Amino acid sequence: MGELIGFPQRDRHPEPEPLWREAVGRELRTERTRQERTLADVAEHAGVSTQYLSEVERGLKEPSSEILGAVSGALGLRLVDLTARLTRSLTSRPTGPLALAA
């Protein structure tokens, strides 16, 4: 018979990719805390409730594009800035078959 070829060991339970709403929420919270602003302050400037903004930041709510625009604007970000930050943070995570082999 032929030679057995060993396959790289793979993590049987790789960390799943975050949901979009989780990644967005994490980025919004990171920027808000970087600016040392409160939920209430940003929520007021964005025209949303503090509770809703908290749920968005925790990845529990899927915000509309209007809400994303309002919250980003309240933080001094354009939607393209938020999207670029999300792209950087998501692409810096190892994923896919190559990441499993590492």
Side-chain angles (χ1 to χ4, degrees):
M1 293 226 146
E3 219 178 291
L4 289 177
I5 299 174
F7 289 99
Q9 291 296 318
R10 294 184 178 182
D11 183 357
R12 299 281 184 233
H13 303 286
E15 185 179 329
E17 250 187 311
L19 297 174
W20 179 253
R21 68 175 185 253
E22 294 169 342
V24 167
R26 186 170 32 252
E27 194 58 49
L28 291 173
R29 176 170 284 181
T30 297
E31 181 59 25
R32 179 181 61 77
T33 57
R34 188 192 69 74
Q35 293 180 17
E36 298 180 351
R37 294 177 63 189
T38 64
L39 273 170
D41 176 48
V42 174
E44 180 180 338
H45 282 89
V48 299
S49 73
T50 303
Q51 179 178 345
Y52 186 77
L53 179 55
S54 174
E55 291 172 340
V56 168
E57 284 189 352
R58 290 180 288 141
L60 301 176
K61 295 288 185 187
E62 188 86 50
S64 67
S65 58
E66 289 86 359
I67 296 293
L68 283 178
V71 174
S72 295
L75 291 168
L77 299 173
R78 299 172 302 156
L79 282 176
V80 69
D81 300 325
L82 177 62
T83 304
R85 289 179 182 200
L86 286 164
T87 299
R88 280 193 300 274
S89 70
L90 290 173
T91 56
S92 68
R93 294 172 41 97
T95 59
L98 294 178
L100 294 176

